[in-house]
Amino acid sequence: MAEPKRITTPLSDEVIKDLHIGDSVLISGVIYTARDSAHKRLIEALERGEELPVDLKGQIIYYAGPAPAKPGKPIGSIGPTTSYRMDPYAPILIEKGLKGMIGKGNRSDEVIEAIKKHTAVYFGAIGGAAALGAKSIKKAEFVAYEDLGPEAIRRLEVVDFPAVVVNDCYGGDIYKQGLKEYGEV
Amino acid sequence: MREIDVSGITSAVKKLCMDANFYLGDDVKKRIYECYEKEESPTGKDVLSQIIENIKISENDEVPLCQDTGYAVLFVELGQDVRLTGGDFTEAINEGVRQGYKEGYLRKSVVTDPLERKNSGDNTPAIIYTDIVPGDKIKIILAPKGGGSENMSEVKMMAPAAGVEGVKEFVVDRVLRSGANPCPPVIVGVGIGGTFEKCAQIAKKALLRPVGSVHPNPYYADLEKELLEKINKLGIGPQGFGGRCTALAVHIEVHPCHIASFPVAVNMQCHVARHKEVII
Ligand code: SF4
């Protein structure tokens, strides 16, 4: 394994251009959680011409809904949810300045196209390694839609959050590459 | 007749909810360690090492392995010489789920109405399959089921002429189309036969068999082996990043079926293959 690349949010185009599929990264800074229902509300707010409850410029959205925090802990177990459910919404948010997404599973052609066009990046985190995932989160607070429970938007302060570059801004896709490299059929 | 107060069921279910979410079975762990040793892809190996570290953290800190602590699915074998007292059987199980998910700080992932989609707030109702069996005991198996892998599952009503080749094609293709979504390495539960719903149910039941166990029927044991080899040649690898270990196991369960029917079901299970059981 090559040494992981350390990156900090918000992400600049320069940093994103240095990321290539298969790169291991350690993310530090602020990231936001949002899943299906939160995305629906964000898009509805945009459709009504309202400001979003969070400024997404240069930011990363983590598709995740954590388990409740035990007393004294900032957050419960947390890992990625399947990303394709956010595909209808993602290109709109990327156009609004969103630079990164963390999830699991492949994205639609529209999302991959938007990633290329607007110099963004999609990371994969390890699904099912959620107790470990919580370790890199130092602080968590609700920023919007608290009524959605696990689906609310949270602001997370992370240090060395591990992820892998799945779709880079050059149109690359680790899932396709992986099949090519290791597939025997 | 043996009398059992349903409060005993509630406390048993509560403990099962927490144990299943904190402690992975030794059979699954063993297979994950073996796959780690064998994995050729560096990224895949790194993923497996993080999965192993995660298992250790969950055990030590008593926190859930995955944030998706699942829909509570229960298989109950109720001895016909048991007389339940003290309340409603189903409600006793739901109360156990309620308490377990609250006290274990487990995520509530159930919406009451599939279209309205409002969270039920306590992870109830559970899904309960009850078999009446001889004896005076109650066996309860709890298998919290995550959404990511469940969503990649499928039932297909095939033509009987499709035969075993049809089964192979369907199962392998289902895994290929699932890619990284069900959090590989996966366990693939295959139901063959029965009716539409029975087929899905036995596919789920197949997931409960210990990893490393061999199908009692040598024909199906060979088929499991062949399917596992085929799936691990796909190259999906841990988390879909490419590699040799896509599946930890393939488990088949079969059932008699109608002369005109040939249902086949694939129930996908992620590496967080949780199930715990108790006998009361
Ligand atoms: S599929 Fe399994 S490991 Fe992946 S997020 Fe769901 S429960 Fe967790």
Side-chain angles (χ1 to χ4, degrees):
Chain A
M1 281 297 294
E3 270 297 296
K5 290 181 177 165
R6 287 199 146 76
I7 57 172
T8 308
T9 64
L11 300 180
S12 67
D13 283 8
E14 209 184 348
V15 167
I16 292 173
K17 283 180 185 157
D18 187 40
L19 298 177
H20 300 271
I21 57 163
D23 285 354
S24 289
V25 296
L26 294 170
I27 304 168
S28 296
V30 168
I31 60 177
Y32 294 93
T33 68
R35 302 174 36 113
D36 315 55
S37 306
H39 273 80
K40 191 160 171 254
R41 286 200 194 173
L42 288 173
I43 300 302
E44 282 166 2
L46 284 175
E47 280 168 359
R48 286 193 300 266
E50 293 168 11
E51 283 285 306
L52 293 181
V54 279
D55 183 7
L56 291 177
K57 283 206 182 66
Q59 299 300 341
I60 296 179
I61 288 185
Y62 184 13
Y63 301 143
K70 272 188 158 181
K73 298 264 169 128
I75 201 159
S77 295
I78 180 164
T81 193
T82 318
S83 306
Y84 71 83
R85 301 193 315 267
M86 271 56 76
D87 282 356
Y89 311 115
I92 305 168
L93 298 180
I94 293 170
E95 213 166 287
K96 288 278 164 203
L98 178 72
K99 282 293 180 187
M101 294 150 286
I102 307 171
K104 62 166 166 116
N106 51 349
R107 309 306 303 264
S108 67
D109 293 343
E110 288 76 17
V111 177
I112 293 172
E113 202 40 55
I115 287 172
K116 249 169 88 177
K117 186 167 165 208
H118 299 280
T119 319
V121 58
Y122 169 53
F123 303 101
I126 300 184
L132 176 65
K135 294 268 180 203
S136 56
I137 294 165
K138 304 303 165 194
K139 203 174 156 200
E141 58 190 11
F142 288 108
V143 288
Y145 314 145
E146 203 174 331
D147 60 298
L148 292 178
E151 298 210 46
I153 298 187
R154 286 172 173 81
R155 178 182 186 277
L156 308 180
E157 286 178 27
V158 300
V159 175
D160 289 345
F161 177 100
V164 171
V165 177
V166 171
N167 293 113
D168 58 23
C169 65
Y170 305 102
D173 186 327
I174 184 77
Y175 298 138
K176 289 192 187 118
Q177 179 63 27
L179 287 177
K180 242 189 246 159
E181 218 169 302
Y182 292 94
E184 294 174 47
V185 273
Chain B
M1 267 302 174
R2 176 174 165 234
E3 289 203 352
I4 298 180
D5 193 285
V6 293
S7 63
I9 295 178
T10 298
S11 48
V13 169
K14 170 181 153 182
K15 187 166 183 308
L16 290 176
C17 291
M18 294 196 252
D19 287 355
N21 273 295
F22 302 156
Y23 313 109
L24 200 61
D26 289 337
D27 57 328
V28 185
K29 282 198 277 191
K30 185 166 168 267
R31 184 55 58 87
I32 292 174
Y33 299 150
E34 287 164 7
C35 287
Y36 170 76
E37 292 302 330
K38 282 192 286 194
E39 182 55 63
E40 291 165 27
S41 134
T43 314
K45 213 173 170 76
D46 188 45
V47 165
L48 290 168
S49 84
Q50 292 191 47
I51 285 174
I52 290 168
E53 202 185 331
N54 187 66
I55 294 168
K56 289 182 187 145
I57 296 171
S58 292
E59 283 174 4
N60 290 335
D61 297 0
E62 300 204 310
V63 293
L65 289 148
C66 186
Q67 79 289 339
D68 183 351
T69 50
Y71 200 124
V73 179
L74 292 101
F75 291 88
V76 181
E77 289 173 18
L78 180 61
Q80 61 191 25
D81 296 332
V82 172
R83 203 175 89 82
L84 295 168
T85 60
D88 179 314
F89 168 73
T90 306
E91 179 43 35
I93 290 178
N94 282 329
E95 183 56 27
V97 170
R98 206 169 278 134
Q99 292 179 9
Y101 274 70
K102 181 154 189 273
E103 286 176 36
Y105 293 91
L106 307 178
R107 200 182 74 181
K108 297 19 164 223
S109 313
V110 174
V111 293
T112 308
D113 183 287
L115 285 175
E116 200 188 356
R117 305 205 75 78
K118 201 168 162 334
N119 199 299
S120 74
D122 58 8
N123 221 54
T124 68
I127 287 182
I128 309 165
Y129 299 108
T130 311
D131 283 329
I132 310 287
V133 299
D136 63 356
K137 299 208 168 21
I138 309 175
K139 181 175 175 184
I140 306 173
I141 306 173
L142 174 104
K145 191 64 175 74
S149 50
E150 194 72 353
N151 285 348
M152 294 299 115
S153 306
E154 193 173 336
V155 182
K156 199 168 176 182
M157 304 305 285
M158 309 218 299
V164 69
E165 291 309 316
V167 174
K168 288 182 204 167
E169 205 177 299
F170 173 50
V171 174
V172 174
D173 182 59
R174 185 57 266 181
V175 177
L176 181 62
R177 279 185 291 131
S178 303
N181 293 348
C183 297
V186 292
I187 297 176
V188 185
V190 182
I192 308 175
T195 45
F196 179 73
E197 84 291 354
K198 186 71 191 174
C199 187
Q201 198 211 358
I202 60 176
K204 175 147 273 122
K205 215 162 180 189
L207 297 173
L208 304 174
R209 225 180 78 203
V211 172
S213 64
V214 180
H215 198 287
N217 178 331
Y219 177 80
Y220 289 109
D222 284 347
L223 185 56
E224 286 180 351
K225 223 172 124 211
E226 187 186 340
L227 282 170
L228 182 62
E229 272 165 24
K230 280 201 158 82
I231 288 167
N232 283 336
K233 276 187 182 159
L234 290 173
I236 296 171
Q239 293 298 309
F241 298 147
R244 301 287 170 219
C245 181
T246 301
L248 301 169
V250 176
H251 290 170
I252 297 173
E253 185 108 351
V254 291
H255 196 281
C257 62
H258 190 278
I259 47 171
S261 296
F262 188 41
V264 182
V266 178
N267 197 189
M268 298 288 276
Q269 169 63 55
C270 54
H271 60 88
V272 184
R274 302 162 281 205
H275 51 92
K276 287 277 181 270
E277 58 185 68
V278 69
I279 296 174
I280 306 177

